Amino acid sequence: MQFIDLKAQYQALKPEIDANIQSVLNAAQFIGGPYVKELEEALAAFTGRKHCITCANGTDALQIAYMMTGVGAGDAVFCPDMTFISSTEPAKMFGAASIFCDILPDTYCLDPASLERQITAVLAEGIFTPKAVVAVDILGNPCDYDVIAPICEKYGLTLIEDAAQSFGAVYKGKRACSFGRIAITSFFPAKPLGCYGDGGAIFTDDEEEDALCRSLCVHGKGPGGKYDNIRVGINSRLDNLQAAILLPKLKALQERELDRRQTVAGRYNNAFAGKFVTPFVAEGCVSAWAQYALLAEGAAQRDKITAHLTEKGIPNMVYYPTPQHALPVFQNEPRYGEDFKNANDYCARTFSLPMHPYLTESEQDEVIRVVLEGL
């Protein structure tokens, strides 16, 4: 059994993927190319954004978003305490302060009340300038943008949607990647829409930001091309081969894979209700189910169950074992009195089970049986 079965997905999509790969090889057009343009147009249409700019990976997408926002020394960037380091890693790189906020106890996304407390604390201290909020759609579950966006507007902060885990999710009728001034996603192979290597994308509705982003992706190029450098940029491009692979995967995601993820999650929820804290999806929302995470009674029960799963050959993971404020790299970041109660609790109790659209009912039954055995 696979935690995420990319082999099964490939077998289901093999004719289309193989044909596209062969087309790229025949044309020998590897950097840029028609599949990249086609994919960007398809991704923009799917998310409802005006512009999509693909890049080399999701971390680059976040770094470019920070560069577009002008984050630098003396600025403060606000982010949920329970996420992966890439959400605020660029802030550290650019000399800004990462200000972590607690998460909600149900969706595990950014807590708007904690966010506003942290913003007002930074303003009261007067050392850092609040600059941006990175709202992370954790585990595939979208943030509460109807509450977060007005907070950003109130304090003049740029809202960046980190949809690295939520591509395909829905918040009140709108797709992930359609929120914030800038949104990003990742095409890391394990993501809901993943390529066969690294890849990422940035989304915006602004013409000037689209042009700026495309410049930053190619060494700060100007109107004259890559040798007309008008700013400092980076080298971050999605290659034609990865775009060719992503196109049939995007079609499958829309046509059946998102629905299958809902089915698997529903069977898990029914089996584990009352025995664990099962994932919560708010009304009007659809999770992309990048991960299926349960909360055990405590760390001891979690460790007992995961050890039993491993013994029985059932893959499992912990997303994530350590809140950001406790990572060694962030030990010197400023603190403003938050106790991160919900983030600490989540990290101590969480464990994740196999989740993908090709998980058969018999495999699901086996996962359920072994988890319950481990209680």
Side-chain angles (χ1 to χ4, degrees), residues 193-347:
L193 179 63
C195 56
Y196 289 167
D198 272 318
I202 305 111
F203 299 83
T204 180
D205 292 324
D206 187 273
E207 297 281 346
E208 291 184 2
E209 288 192 343
D210 173 58
L212 172 59
C213 185
R214 293 184 187 281
S215 170
L216 290 170
C217 284
V218 187
H219 301 286
K221 69 175 183 177
K226 67 179 182 179
Y227 299 118
D228 176 31
N229 309 100
I230 59 175
R231 58 177 58 87
V232 173
I234 62 175
N235 177 27
S236 185
R237 298 167 294 197
L238 185 74
D239 64 68
N240 203 30
L241 193 64
Q242 298 298 347
I245 291 163
L246 283 166
L247 280 164
K249 285 191 163 203
L250 176 60
K251 182 181 177 184
L253 183 83
Q254 296 177 74
E255 291 181 350
R256 56 187 179 274
E257 289 186 356
L258 284 171
D259 288 340
R260 289 180 181 176
R261 287 177 178 271
Q262 310 309 312
T263 299
V264 175
R267 294 195 79 230
Y268 278 167
N269 284 343
N270 290 335
F272 299 130
K275 300 175 179 67
F276 302 95
V277 177
T278 54
F280 172 79
V281 180
E283 185 177 354
C285 297
V286 177
S287 175
W289 296 108
Q291 309 296 339
Y292 183 87
L294 293 170
L295 291 192
E297 287 181 354
Q301 187 191 60
R302 186 263 305 277
D303 294 345
K304 176 187 173 187
I305 293 169
T306 54
H308 184 65
L309 286 165
T310 301
E311 179 187 351
K312 297 298 184 180
I314 305 295
N316 57 90
M317 295 286 289
V318 174
Y319 292 95
Y320 295 95
T322 307
Q324 294 294 289
H325 79 271
L327 290 173
V329 68
F330 292 127
Q331 286 303 293
N332 295 323
E333 294 302 287
R335 304 292 168 84
Y336 296 96
E338 289 290 302
D339 60 8
F340 306 109
K341 175 184 175 182
N342 295 329
N344 286 326
D345 180 66
Y346 170 89
C347 291

